[in-house]
Amino acid sequence: NIIRGYSYHMKIAIYCHSIAPSIDGVCRRFTGILHELIAQGHQVILFTLEEAPEELPPLLDIIRLDYLLMPAYPDKRVAKPDFHTYFSVWRALRKHRPDVVHVTADGISQIFSLVGLYLAIPVVASFHTDILDLLRSHNANFFQKFCITFKESVDSFVLDSCATTSSSFARKLRKQGLKTEHIIVTGVDTAKFNPNKKQIDVRKELTFGNIDGFLCVYVGRISKEKRLDVMVDAVKSIDNAYLAIIGDGPSAGTYAAMHGPENRIYCRPRFLDHDELSQIYASSDVHVSASEFETLGNTVLESFACQVPVVVPRTQGFCDTVTHDMNGFLFEPGDRDSARGYLLKLKDDSRLCAKMGAKGRSSVADKSVSRVIEDLIKWYGMGAARRKRRGAYGAGIRICLLVFSVPFAMACIAGYELVVNLLGIAPPKKKSGKSN
């Protein structure tokens, strides 16, 4: 039935670690997926870390799971593997008996896998974050990196199928011991993100009244690993160029302090909804990023949909979404002068800028959300078929492994919470408000 796809209305359980009011690439992607699944007649049960999730279609059920906050990312909810989470997942899946469970892989994906094995429900996982690179950028210790490597190796074995959104990240995961069987088709809402959203008032605000200035826009988390320092240096070295930093995160205060016409930097930390973002993209001259660990770069697709070219580093997911010298430029990672050179090319040639923007729009014309759903349904079928091939013996082996790995993860998190509480550095939980 699952493999038959659209001829069969499925009951699907989805766990996503990022749902509105959190605003980031994963959130925007899954918000679109949820709405399209419901529009096509599927039933959806959502597991979320948000206490008051927003922008959701009518769902069969919403299960709120516990989370913790980390000192390095005080506004970022992180899934908490503990017995309370285990029993919440168990009760919900036993009650609804979905055809398949789709989780965004993180610290509780193995809990879903274990419960799915007990209840004979296929569980598939999509990987959206390069956690090892993130840890390296924050000088993580050997034990932390070992835990992630071990977790991802176990994920690869116990889950019914693993997928990601770019070929480059799939290759990297394979080198780390995690094999992905599928590359998920990417999509963007070209009706919501389009060049007609351009607003002169928005451009005027971002350039402090100088609408003829060259406006570069960054959208996303404001944090150390995003390497915004590279882009700030590149833009500030160009006459009459402005950098608008849109988003929030642990490093937001650093760039908010630079806000003002004298620095030609706009930074008022907050996360915006889709309509506001589309206006900002469409009102800019170029979308920029210096991040070196993007697994896809969802903002690139949104920028293209708004007919705006991009200047981003030649790394990972960007290499899959950007065609150099056609719809954007790929500069050498961490090289301010390389980024500056390409920005100058666009600044000095408005026809080239318009031409690249038009090609960007053309490149995402067929990347509809409905096409993403068709691809997801096929992938769910792959996971179900693999579960069936493995049989009872394979399920028994995986349960034995999970009976060890799940309590190990619980113990690690409990130890971490104990340490940060003893040190008095645990961030307080907020009842509401947008998070990253």
Side-chain angles (χ1 to χ4, degrees), residues 1-14 34 36-45 58-60 96-102 121-124 373-385:
N1 279 343
I2 292 176
I3 295 174
R4 276 159 51 192
Y6 287 111
S7 64
Y8 172 62
H9 288 162
M10 297 176 64
K11 184 186 288 187
I12 303 165
I14 290 180
L34 289 171
E36 187 64 24
L37 282 170
I38 298 302
Q40 292 186 12
H42 301 289
Q43 293 181 305
V44 180
I45 304 105
L59 301 174
L60 193 61
H96 293 291
R97 298 280 177 171
D99 297 305
V100 67
V101 179
H102 175 181
I121 300 170
V123 180
V124 299
I373 300 304
E374 181 179 1
D375 183 67
L376 283 175
I377 299 297
K378 290 178 181 177
W379 174 47
Y380 296 161
M382 290 168 56

Side-chain angles (χ1 to χ4, degrees), residues 289-301:
S289 176
S291 174
E292 298 175 22
F293 87 116
E294 299 302 318
T295 58
L296 172 67
N298 202 63
T299 57
V300 167
L301 302 181

